[in-house]
Amino acid sequence: MCDSPSHFFGCQFRFPGSLRSISKSPCSYPSIRTFTMTAMFPGRITLALTLHRATNLPKTDRIGHIDPYVKVSFQSTQCKSQKSSALSDTPDPVWNEKLIFNLEEAVVTGGHTVMLEIYDEDTFRDERVGFVEVTVTRELFGVVAGKAIRHQFPITYVKSKHNTLAQSYLEVSFSCVYSYDTVARWVQNNIPASVCNFMDKRLYVPFPPEWHGLLLGLEFENGGDKIDFKVFTTIPDEGTYVDLALTSEPKSRIRRRGTVTGEPTPIKGTHLRYYEEVKLDDVPIEMDWNMVAVWKFKKSSVESIDLAKIVQAHGWKGTLSYQAASQILQGVELDPQDETIYFPLPSQYTFTTEDLIEPSSFVLVDWDKNNCDMKILVLDTPSNAGVGYDLSITGVEYNKKTSDVYVPPRPILGGRYRATRRVELDDVPYGVPLTNIKWEKLRLEEGKELRVGQFIKLTPW
């Protein structure tokens, strides 16, 4: 169980506690084994080395500071050396650059070394200033909260006079990368009914049997350093709600797309079809997959109200610009800088602005040049435990719904409130009647949690 607050789609609760039926689901694939990357590709490892920063580099020129870059070479391998970009005039460079190497397994298991050489970039000839030599071991690949541990190594300088200066360090981290080919072959060998699209680098993997009707999508981006995680609902809505998040990050952006007609939508390049897609964008390829969490709930509708009734309760009439709305509406919060109006909603909406109790959420109307954004901000209040909220449009084809999860909650309106989730209909065209936009309150029960790393059990070795 998670010890920190977890905030889902319009839903806020804590582990353990307020939603007592939440449980982590064990995986029950028959005869599933934990394969290693090297078992699938004997003798090869894909490694990411991230150069974060260096400190207290010496002054090497009469005028100005060093223009540093780092050259990385793995000893006793056929792998070509790589180097970072050069930064101008700084003794404390911050690169945060990732270099990808495809190496022999013996680099790690055989105790080989990696040489990190610091150079000063010059017009005519670059000068080798210092170096760090590291023996590669499995301990370098430690992970905390889904992220590789950063290691600080003291720099040895070529000129002895520089070694007498203040201690300087090079900060780097090591991680193993799950390439598309590695994951695809593991999945094909271990999870029945998986579908691999090698041309587009996409995988579609059924969840364990107790998560019937859900399909995991893994889409590897062409650049090679990011993955999109998707969860597809492959059966018609049976009162199931699914959520997805990267638990190691303070903010996760989720995109939702459903079918407009009620008919299933084909998944490109496959025979598969889905009714709803939930997407987590741009997860770093070296991220620990145990940080990617999926939740499944049994949902039931508590209230469903069109947006027209909500805004009309505060005095909205006809078509209003922000300037007009800010003068006419009552019982609302205003953000003049962003031209946004916050309509407060108590836990039990009464359609009156008199004696409003503390709000449980806000409906936001945000004016843009040619359209407007409709949003729900879910607040960090006890009344929202086990409760979800949604916005939807009827009568038009629309697939630009997103939601953001904030952990910890994000202060809004000068810190007077804290938001745990934002649900947004982005770029709603002017002219869509507010009666076509529905605000819905949901009850979410019988929650289950599953981490992707629990059933795709890849390990680096």
Side-chain angles (χ1 to χ4, degrees), residues 27-30 206-213 296:
C27 300
S28 57
Y29 284 119
F207 277 76
E210 60 270 28
W211 289 62
H212 173 68
K296 177 183 178 182

Side-chain angles (χ1 to χ4, degrees), residues 31 54 94 100 117 120 156 199 214-216 254-255 282 326 378 396 441:
S31 303
V94 177
I100 303 295
E117 301 171 280
D120 178 20
T156 300
M199 180 175 293
L214 298 182
L215 183 72
L216 176 69
I254 313 300
R255 300 182 185 274
D282 295 341
S326 62
V378 182
V396 295
K441 183 177 180 179

Side-chain angles (χ1 to χ4, degrees), residues 226-245:
K226 299 288 177 63
I227 303 176
D228 294 340
F229 286 82
K230 295 183 177 182
V231 177
F232 298 94
T233 302
T234 59
I235 55 179
D237 185 11
E238 296 180 347
T240 298
Y241 177 76
V242 178
D243 209 356
L244 180 66

Side-chain angles (χ1 to χ4, degrees), residues 201-458:
K201 294 188 176 182
R202 297 181 178 185
L203 299 172
Y204 302 98
V205 185
F207 277 76
E210 60 270 28
W211 289 62
H212 173 68
L214 298 182
L215 183 72
L216 176 69
L218 302 172
E219 300 185 355
F220 290 70
E221 296 187 0
N222 289 331
D225 61 346
K226 299 288 177 63
I227 303 176
D228 294 340
F229 286 82
K230 295 183 177 182
V231 177
F232 298 94
T233 302
T234 59
I235 55 179
D237 185 11
E238 296 180 347
T240 298
Y241 177 76
V242 178
D243 209 356
L244 180 66
L246 188 58
T247 60
S248 59
E249 300 300 314
K251 175 183 174 181
S252 294
R253 168 149 290 189
I254 313 300
R255 300 182 185 274
R256 294 184 176 272
R257 182 166 63 179
T259 59
V260 177
T261 63
E263 294 298 319
T265 300
I267 297 177
K268 179 184 176 182
T270 75
H271 64 281
L272 304 169
R273 297 175 179 270
Y274 71 91
Y275 290 88
E276 184 186 48
E277 171 192 294
V278 184
K279 179 181 180 182
L280 178 62
D281 277 331
D282 295 341
V283 177
I285 197 167
E286 72 274 13
M287 177 63 66
D288 180 359
W289 288 9
N290 285 302
M291 296 294 106
V292 181
V294 183
W295 293 276
K296 177 183 178 182
F297 299 92
K298 180 181 179 181
K299 71 176 180 181
S300 56
S301 181
V302 178
E303 288 183 273
S304 181
I305 307 165
D306 66 62
L307 209 59
K309 292 182 180 179
I310 295 174
V311 300
Q312 287 168 2
H314 294 269
W316 188 293
K317 294 181 180 179
T319 302
L320 297 177
S321 64
Y322 171 80
Q323 289 72 21
S326 62
Q327 297 175 11
I328 295 173
L329 301 181
Q330 300 177 354
V332 297
E333 301 274 0
L334 302 175
D335 184 345
Q337 183 174 355
D338 292 335
E339 292 195 347
T340 302
I341 295 180
Y342 292 67
F343 295 86
L345 280 77
S347 56
Q348 296 294 324
Y349 202 78
T350 58
F351 298 109
T352 177
T353 59
E354 298 178 3
D355 301 323
L356 270 179
I357 63 174
E358 190 73 10
S360 61
S361 61
F362 285 103
V363 168
L364 278 63
V365 180
D366 180 3
W367 277 261
D368 293 332
K369 183 176 181 181
N370 298 313
N371 50 57
C372 62
D373 303 332
M374 306 293 182
K375 308 174 187 178
I376 297 176
L377 279 180
V378 182
L379 301 184
D380 185 22
T381 65
S383 63
N384 280 330
V387 172
Y389 296 88
D390 194 13
L391 279 176
S392 59
I393 295 181
T394 60
V396 295
E397 185 171 351
Y398 180 85
N399 275 316
K400 297 187 71 175
K401 182 191 296 187
T402 63
S403 59
D404 295 334
V405 182
Y406 305 120
V407 181
R410 174 172 292 185
I412 61 170
L413 293 173
R416 289 183 291 122
Y417 302 97
R418 299 194 311 159
T420 62
R421 187 99 189 207
R422 181 180 71 178
V423 183
E424 179 174 353
L425 300 178
D426 192 23
D427 297 340
V428 178
Y430 287 140
V432 174
L434 291 180
T435 52
N436 286 24
I437 301 176
K438 303 294 182 182
W439 169 91
E440 187 175 17
K441 183 177 180 179
L442 305 169
R443 180 176 292 110
L444 304 179
E445 302 174 301
E446 301 179 15
K448 296 181 180 180
E449 177 188 354
L450 181 64
R451 303 298 177 104
V452 171
Q454 287 180 272
F455 70 101
I456 298 183
K457 298 181 179 180
L458 282 168

